[in-house]
Amino acid sequence: MIADTDDGYTRTANAIQDQLCKADLTGAQFQVLNAIVRITYGYNQKTNRITNTYLAELTGVSEKGVRLCLAELHGRNMITLEKTGLMKIVGINKVISEWVITTGKSEKQSAKGKQSRNNGSNLRRNNGSIETEQRLPQDGTMVPDKRNCSSSTKDNSKNNLLNTTSKDLPSPPSADDKPKRIGAVVENGKQWGEQQDVDTVNAMLTSLQATLGEHYRPPNITAWANDIRVMRQQDRRQPEHILKLWRLAHKDEFWRQNIQSPAALRKQWGRLAAIYHGQRSGLNNSQTGISLGANGQPMTAADMAQLAREHGGIN
């Protein structure tokens, strides 16, 4: 693949690039910062809505690492950060005079590393002198040099390589590797899902795209499929019921801002199920997200749970 500005480019102020050249950042922090430049200035926007999951997929940094990097970059005034629901609104702080370019850690680590190397050199020189003295008896005879056979000499390294067979070397992962779990079509560590879980996720994304519009970013499909599978197997939810409550949430101004993942849907299942049954009974005010009882009063959590049990199906 050949990079070409005809395929798109990111317009960034030179002053920001100059500051980036001076910034004392870890590798992960630099990746996350560059990702923010890409998703803002790359789309001719000052800020953009994002999730930790999307930044993790974009950079290769773990979601926990992304969260820590965002906190550090925000603390050093290099980015603007505002949380709204499950999303974050991020951007580059254009007041570059406010940036904290260095924390002083690199200088300390450099000095510490230099001191450690000096100590190691002195120790090796001293050990060499002591060893030489021990190998030269007073009568002038030479003592045979008995070295450990595992020492990394030229000959030993060569022999070790010759004695190593292909079965001793770890094989790289293959693109043809299939999921280990029976029935899994997506899998990543402990997270996995079957075909019906992936199909449910794809159906949910249609509503999410309509909700987020231009701010939509593809989620981690494996993580979503895993949550759907857990809802099916542990909570005994049916895929069609999952989609009904998901679509119900994304028709409501309040819930569409708070239910943007299967995990959030699972957490609020009881309330949404009660609202669903309330709407079927003509008792719900969906614009406020508040369920009303038969007496016209707001329903408590216990009232909604009881209503869900009475109607059955989605509970």
Side-chain angles (χ1 to χ4, degrees):
M1 180 178 180
I2 300 176
D4 195 321
T5 55
D6 290 338
D7 298 325
Y9 60 90
T10 299
R11 182 181 179 185
T12 311
N14 287 337
I16 291 178
Q17 290 296 333
D18 292 343
Q19 289 293 84
L20 290 177
C21 293
K22 302 174 184 176
D24 177 17
L25 300 170
T26 65
Q29 291 168 359
F30 189 77
Q31 287 176 269
V32 172
L33 184 59
N34 270 278
I36 294 174
V37 171
R38 174 67 181 88
I39 62 178
T40 52
Y41 296 140
Y43 291 99
N44 295 320
Q45 297 181 12
K46 296 180 180 179
T47 60
N48 206 339
R49 295 179 60 173
I50 206 70
T51 62
N52 291 346
T53 300
Y54 179 69
L55 282 177
E57 294 177 347
L58 191 62
T59 62
V61 179
S62 68
E63 290 191 37
K64 179 180 179 181
V66 167
R67 185 172 67 253
L68 294 176
C69 289
L70 288 174
E72 176 70 15
L73 294 171
H74 183 239
R76 292 170 61 178
N77 299 323
M78 302 178 76
I79 65 171
T80 59
L81 178 64
E82 178 184 353
K83 189 171 182 180
T84 169
L86 297 178
M87 308 287 287
K88 293 182 176 69
I89 300 178
V90 295
I92 300 297
N93 181 11
K94 295 194 296 183
V95 186
I96 58 176
S97 58
E98 296 178 350
W99 288 22
V100 180
I101 295 299
T102 179
T103 60
K105 293 182 180 179
S106 294
E107 292 81 352
K108 293 179 182 179
Q109 292 175 349
S110 178
K112 184 177 179 180
K114 182 177 181 181
Q115 180 64 36
S116 177
R117 289 192 295 272
N118 290 338
N119 291 340
S121 298
N122 293 334
L123 181 61
R124 286 192 296 272
R125 284 196 294 270
N126 292 336
N127 287 343
S129 300
I130 294 173
E131 182 182 359
T132 301
E133 294 174 0
Q134 292 176 342
R135 289 170 52 198
L136 294 176
Q138 294 181 355
D139 58 5
T141 60
M142 293 295 294
V143 178
D145 183 12
K146 297 181 179 180
R147 296 178 180 266
N148 191 316
C149 62
S150 64
S151 60
S152 181
T153 63
K154 181 177 180 181
D155 292 336
N156 283 336
S157 299
K158 181 178 180 180
N159 292 334
N160 288 338
L161 289 175
L162 291 175
N163 293 330
T164 300
T165 62
S166 59
K167 68 179 181 179
D168 299 320
L169 300 175
S171 58
S174 171
D176 297 328
D177 289 345
K178 298 181 179 179
K180 300 177 182 178
R181 295 179 176 85
I182 298 176
V185 295
V186 290
E187 182 176 4
N188 184 11
K190 295 181 179 180
Q191 296 183 328
W192 62 283
E194 299 178 0
Q195 185 61 55
Q196 59 180 320
D197 303 318
V198 176
D199 292 340
T200 303
V201 169
N202 290 331
M204 296 170 74
L205 292 182
T206 302
S207 300
L208 185 63
Q209 287 177 313
T211 295
L212 299 180
E214 63 180 1
H215 300 294
Y216 169 79
R217 297 292 181 272
N220 186 320
I221 301 298
T222 302
W224 276 40
N226 183 75
D227 290 335
I228 296 296
R229 178 186 58 78
V230 171
M231 293 170 71
R232 284 193 304 102
Q233 297 179 349
Q234 295 185 13
D235 303 340
R236 305 302 181 188
R237 311 298 186 197
Q238 297 298 322
E240 59 267 26
H241 293 165
I242 294 175
L243 291 175
K244 281 183 180 180
L245 290 196
W246 176 264
R247 289 163 181 160
L248 169 69
H250 282 263
K251 292 179 181 178
D252 184 272
E253 188 63 28
F254 171 78
W255 287 111
R256 72 196 315 178
Q257 299 297 326
N258 293 275
I259 307 297
Q260 297 184 354
S261 71
L265 177 64
R266 186 187 185 202
K267 185 177 180 180
Q268 300 294 340
W269 185 276
R271 297 184 65 184
L272 289 169
I275 292 173
Y276 172 81
H277 291 301
Q279 285 187 351
R280 293 177 62 186
S281 303
L283 304 176
N284 179 255
N285 181 353
S286 62
Q287 296 305 314
T288 62
I290 299 175
S291 295
L292 302 180
N295 58 1
Q297 298 300 315
M299 298 176 64
T300 65
D303 294 333
M304 291 188 288
Q306 179 62 30
L307 181 62
R309 287 192 294 270
E310 291 174 356
H311 285 79
I314 298 178
N315 51 47

